[in-house]
Amino acid sequence: MEINGEVFDKDVRFDQLGLSEPIMKALDKKGYRQATPVQGGTIPYFMDWKDVIAKAPTGTGKTFAFGIPMVEHIDPQSTQVLGLVLAPTRELALQIQDELRLLCQFKEGVRTVCLYGGAPIDKQINALKKRPQIVVATPGRLMDHMSRRTVRVDQVETVVLDEADRMLDMGFIQDVTRILDQMPNRRNMGMFSATISREVMDISWVYQRDPVEITVQADEENRPDIKQYRILLPSRSDKLDAMERILLAEGYERCIVFCNTKNMTDRLAGLLQMRGFSAQCIHGDIQQRLREKTLRDFREGKVKILVATDVAARGLDIDDVDAVFNYDVPDENEYYVHRIGRTGRAKRHGVSYSLVASVTEGLRLDDIVKITGCDIERLKFDEDGCLIPEQEDAAEN
């Protein structure tokens, strides 16, 4: 880990951070004692009301890094919004609220609310009438509430942009700046992201004051343990058969399959169901209520295969995914990293398979390897339907 360019490798325990008894009780209940690098690096500065810009790999505990100081700073007697977290997607916003509730469970009087599009606004307005001190929101829905005067952010002391690069890439930059401009009492700001884009730096330069820069590299200590494979297939029509062979042979309990389009996501989920697999899909056109139910069923093991577009590639709190399939090779290099990052989390072993059935897909994956530095082993099916290394098959010929 680097803090302002200086390397630190000291392990930090939560009981060394001067946290309150309610927060320590919440952490102890979950069995959390050792802070991750981004948590150990961020929490002391955020507790001192410093601005922070943190870059860390997916799955390294960024939510607790900003959530613990935010909850510590909240006055339970207040009836104002004091903490605000902006997230790019409703799924991530809901996950953040769940983790903040976990931290708040022994700090009586601290209330949270989650505001996101695709859900009835009246229900959210009723929740806001309970005067929460912490709001987690997507930018568009928060702007809607602000225009209706159902929420005020002028008393916010701490604001966090989570998955900041993704949020700005999605076109929220104007909403984000308008929201930030409405916070005259802001004391500190955190920007947390897996990558630091030019847009992220632009926001930092305008709205942060001498931010502490924390960088956690994907080294051997925090790099996800993911075995990556690319499988060469004769044609696209062979992809479903290939995936079925792997699923039956390996007996995976929980998998995510990524497609590039909503239409393909729907079709593939239906095809898997026809072959007897427990599969459901999520994408942007599915009603929010159904998306939440599908994700809940997937977490609880009622659904074994989640077929998704890249809306599910980042931010979802699903730690025990056995395998990820790239049914379609992603269009963006960064999407590949975030897709496979759904497996190999929380120190578990994971595996990813990218199905390649055209020269174009092969070139895209070559480019991903070149840019990201991922180590992807090449496999193919032999005549008996067994996976073997490509070079082994070539050597026999």
Side-chain angles (χ1 to χ4, degrees):
M1 175 180 65
E2 294 182 5
I3 300 179
N4 289 338
E6 295 188 29
V7 177
F8 291 82
D9 57 6
K10 180 182 177 181
D11 291 334
V12 178
R13 298 194 314 273
F14 286 118
D15 60 11
Q16 297 173 308
L17 296 173
L19 304 179
S20 66
E21 182 180 350
I23 292 292
M24 287 304 301
K25 283 181 66 177
L27 294 170
D28 286 342
K29 184 176 179 180
K30 292 292 291 184
Y32 297 151
R33 293 177 175 81
Q34 190 79 27
T36 67
V38 71
Q39 293 164 356
T42 300
I43 290 172
Y45 292 104
F46 232 46
M47 290 289 289
D48 287 341
W49 298 102
K50 302 288 187 183
D51 286 349
V52 168
I53 181 167
K55 174 185 174 183
T58 300
T60 51
K62 293 192 286 291
T63 304
F64 274 17
F66 63 76
I68 288 173
M70 181 177 284
V71 174
E72 289 281 33
H73 286 153
I74 295 299
D75 176 6
Q77 304 303 316
S78 176
T79 58
Q80 305 293 325
V81 177
L82 303 177
L84 172 65
V85 184
L86 294 178
T89 67
R90 61 198 76 178
E91 287 82 11
L92 179 56
L94 287 164
Q95 175 208 320
I96 293 169
Q97 185 193 33
D98 287 343
E99 296 199 36
L100 292 178
R101 281 176 170 170
L102 185 154
L103 292 171
C104 294
Q105 61 185 306
F106 297 108
K107 189 168 181 178
E108 189 174 348
V110 178
R111 299 173 296 279
T112 68
V113 68
C114 190
L115 310 176
Y116 53 89
I121 199 165
D122 290 345
K123 185 176 180 181
Q124 295 175 2
I125 291 173
N126 288 333
L128 287 166
K129 290 178 180 177
K130 297 178 182 179
R131 315 295 287 180
Q133 300 97 344
I134 298 177
V135 170
V136 184
T138 55
R141 178 50 64 97
L142 180 60
M143 287 289 292
D144 192 355
H145 278 283
M146 291 169 64
S147 68
R148 294 168 181 256
R149 302 185 185 278
T150 53
V151 67
R152 293 175 56 178
V153 298
D154 56 312
Q155 298 301 312
V156 167
E157 296 178 332
T158 297
V159 60
V160 170
L161 308 187
D162 195 18
E163 298 286 9
D165 57 336
R166 176 68 167 159
M167 184 153 46
L168 301 179
D169 286 346
M170 291 171 67
F172 287 124
I173 189 165
Q174 288 189 338
D175 285 348
V176 168
T177 56
R178 287 171 184 160
I179 292 166
L180 294 175
D181 288 339
Q182 300 300 311
M183 300 180 190
N185 294 299
R186 175 171 52 85
R187 296 183 63 181
N188 69 334
M189 174 178 172
M191 299 183 70
F192 292 77
S193 194
T195 60
I196 304 299
S197 65
R198 175 59 188 269
E199 290 77 12
V200 171
M201 292 307 302
D202 286 345
I203 293 290
S204 175
W205 290 332
V206 174
Y207 292 97
Q208 290 187 308
R209 302 174 300 276
D210 300 320
V212 178
E213 296 185 24
I214 297 171
T215 302
V216 178
Q217 302 292 346
D219 58 23
E220 292 307 314
E221 179 63 24
N222 55 64
R223 184 191 299 274
D225 177 17
I226 306 169
K227 190 68 175 176
Q228 301 170 59
Y229 299 107
R230 60 187 288 173
I231 299 175
L232 181 64
L233 299 168
S235 68
R236 184 172 179 82
S237 61
D238 294 301
K239 287 190 176 187
L240 183 58
D241 288 338
M243 196 164 64
E244 181 179 20
R245 286 179 191 170
I246 296 169
L247 290 169
L248 294 175
E250 300 296 337
Y252 295 127
E253 287 296 312
R254 197 177 316 229
C255 301
I256 300 181
V257 183
F258 286 104
C259 302
N260 290 345
T261 66
K262 299 169 186 176
N263 180 55
M264 190 63 234
T265 303
D266 285 327
R267 287 182 55 207
L268 183 57
L271 290 169
L272 286 167
Q273 291 168 5
M274 290 172 62
R275 297 195 179 201
F277 291 101
S278 171
Q280 293 292 337
C281 68
I282 62 168
H283 56 67
D285 286 348
I286 293 176
Q287 289 184 354
Q288 179 62 22
R289 176 180 57 82
L290 295 178
R291 290 168 69 177
E292 291 175 14
K293 181 182 185 304
T294 296
L295 289 171
R296 184 169 60 251
D297 289 346
F298 185 64
R299 289 192 181 98
E300 294 174 356
K302 297 175 183 176
V303 171
K304 294 184 180 297
I305 302 173
L306 182 67
V307 187
T309 53
D310 285 292
V311 69
R314 295 175 68 163
L316 295 184
D317 183 23
I318 305 170
D319 285 340
D320 51 352
V321 174
D322 298 321
V324 165
F325 289 84
N326 287 309
Y327 194 85
D328 295 324
V329 175
D331 295 325
E332 301 289 339
N333 300 329
E334 197 174 302
Y335 289 172
Y336 177 84
V337 176
H338 294 304
R339 285 181 180 189
I340 69 168
R342 295 301 92 208
T343 186
R345 295 165 69 90
K347 305 296 184 182
R348 294 183 175 90
H349 172 72
V351 61
S352 71
Y353 301 92
S354 295
L355 306 181
V356 178
S358 70
V359 173
T360 302
E361 287 185 318
L363 291 175
R364 277 290 308 119
L365 207 53
D366 289 342
D367 190 47
I368 288 169
V369 170
K370 186 184 302 182
I371 299 298
T372 65
C374 291
D375 182 14
I376 308 178
E377 184 177 344
R378 295 170 178 262
L379 301 178
K380 68 182 299 182
F381 287 100
D382 65 12
E383 294 179 354
D384 298 321
C386 299
L387 281 174
I388 61 171
E390 276 192 40
Q391 60 268 28
E392 179 180 315
D393 183 62
E396 291 177 358
N397 293 328

